[in-house]
Amino acid sequence: MLLAIDMGNTQTALGLFEGDELRLSWRMPTDRSFTADELHVRLLGYFRMYGMTLDCVDAVAFAGVVPELSRAWRRVAERIAASIVTVGRETAAVTRVRAENPAEVGADRVANATAAATFYGAPAIVVDFGTATNIDVVDAEGYYIGGAIAPGLRISMDALTARAARLSSVPLEAPEHAIGVNTVEAVQSGAVLGTAAMAEGLVARIRRELGDPRAQVIATGGLAGVIAGSTDIFDVVDGQLTLKGIREIYRRMQEQG
């Protein structure tokens, strides 16, 4: 089995694949203080919940943005005698990136673009609602060509509540109306519906630049479910898109030998 790991700035998503099938998935906090020992213990706990052991993991495919944790995860893979593939320079030969500086493109964005083109076709636009809201654009030839990065919903809320402590208890959910009739609804309108409106506006501009108003639009990321219900811009909501992209990149590396 393959353990795919998508390490973001706030959360780390893990998926256990048997062939092309995603058997199990988990989320855990991305804590820069975690050592290899702590990551190993957490991983053991997730597997034991389902009566499994780490012996079933043959390989680890990893996409991450925190170097110190990347090294810790590599040590975990070594401990469980699993081979490891890290999305980035070592996988460049099997991915399609046509950016000004490919080395600057985050591994998660490469995985998103790979999955979008593979499973949903090209051109495609991926809106990844995580710590940041990343928009990844795939051209008609299946190449990642760029996109946009905006502050994520939680970052925006954290910035707001840092200056207005009374707003800290507002739940992140969509209000029924854009016109909030109380403080909670007003904040939800600005935060949730505002994020949806931003996605709508950027997607419309990107479609015009692509010259294809029918380009597939895919929502993913930990907050996709919060936003997707507030807009009709998305053709697909796939919360596991990044893990599927990591799995596809691993498969291509195996084929390449």
Side-chain angles (χ1 to χ4, degrees), residues 13 20 55 85 251:
D20 292 330
D55 292 340
V85 169
R251 185 191 65 77

Side-chain angles (χ1 to χ4, degrees), residues 12-248:
T12 297
L14 304 98
L16 185 65
F17 286 85
E18 184 172 14
D20 292 330
E21 180 186 356
L22 180 60
R23 290 276 306 275
L24 297 168
S25 63
W26 308 273
R27 283 188 178 270
M28 59 182 280
T30 299
D31 187 330
R32 286 164 170 77
S33 70
F34 281 168
T35 63
D37 292 336
E38 289 168 309
L39 293 175
H40 195 169
V41 168
R42 281 179 174 265
L43 199 57
L44 277 170
Y46 293 139
F47 275 67
R48 284 174 178 168
M49 277 196 303
Y50 295 95
M52 303 175 69
T53 69
L54 293 176
D55 292 340
C56 70
V57 178
D58 303 301
V60 174
F62 183 82
V65 296
V66 183
E68 58 267 35
L69 282 179
S70 300
R71 291 189 288 271
W73 274 114
R74 182 173 287 275
R75 288 195 292 274
V76 172
E78 291 170 353
R79 287 181 182 180
I80 63 176
S83 61
I84 186 164
V85 169
T86 303
V87 177
R89 291 183 180 177
E90 72 179 74
T91 62
V94 300
T95 56
R96 293 185 167 189
V97 177
R98 189 180 282 158
E100 187 173 285
N101 187 350
E104 291 182 350
V105 181
D108 56 339
R109 307 187 79 179
V110 175
N112 282 344
T114 300
T118 301
F119 302 110
Y120 300 108
I125 303 165
V126 178
V127 186
D128 190 341
F129 295 101
T131 303
T133 297
N134 289 336
I135 300 183
D136 306 317
V137 183
V138 180
D139 69 11
E141 297 177 69
Y143 282 86
Y144 169 90
I145 59 171
I149 302 174
L153 179 54
R154 290 197 186 279
I155 287 178
S156 299
M157 285 296 293
D158 287 347
L160 181 61
T161 57
R163 298 298 181 92
R166 290 178 62 187
L167 303 180
S168 61
S169 61
V170 174
L172 282 180
E173 55 189 46
E176 292 186 11
H177 309 285
I179 302 172
V181 298
N182 53 51
T183 300
V184 169
E185 287 186 359
V187 172
Q188 290 173 333
S189 177
V192 179
L193 301 187
T195 300
M198 177 195 68
E200 290 170 349
L202 282 171
V203 165
R205 289 172 180 251
I206 289 168
R207 276 176 161 168
R208 286 198 296 271
E209 291 183 18
L210 283 174
D212 190 341
R214 295 169 299 176
Q216 288 274 300
V217 184
I218 305 151
T220 193
L223 294 171
V226 177
I227 306 300
S230 302
T231 176
D232 60 2
I233 195 68
F234 299 114
D235 299 297
V236 178
V237 178
D238 187 343
Q240 309 296 352
L241 186 76
T242 313
L243 291 176
K244 291 177 181 177
I246 295 170
R247 166 70 183 89
E248 174 63 17

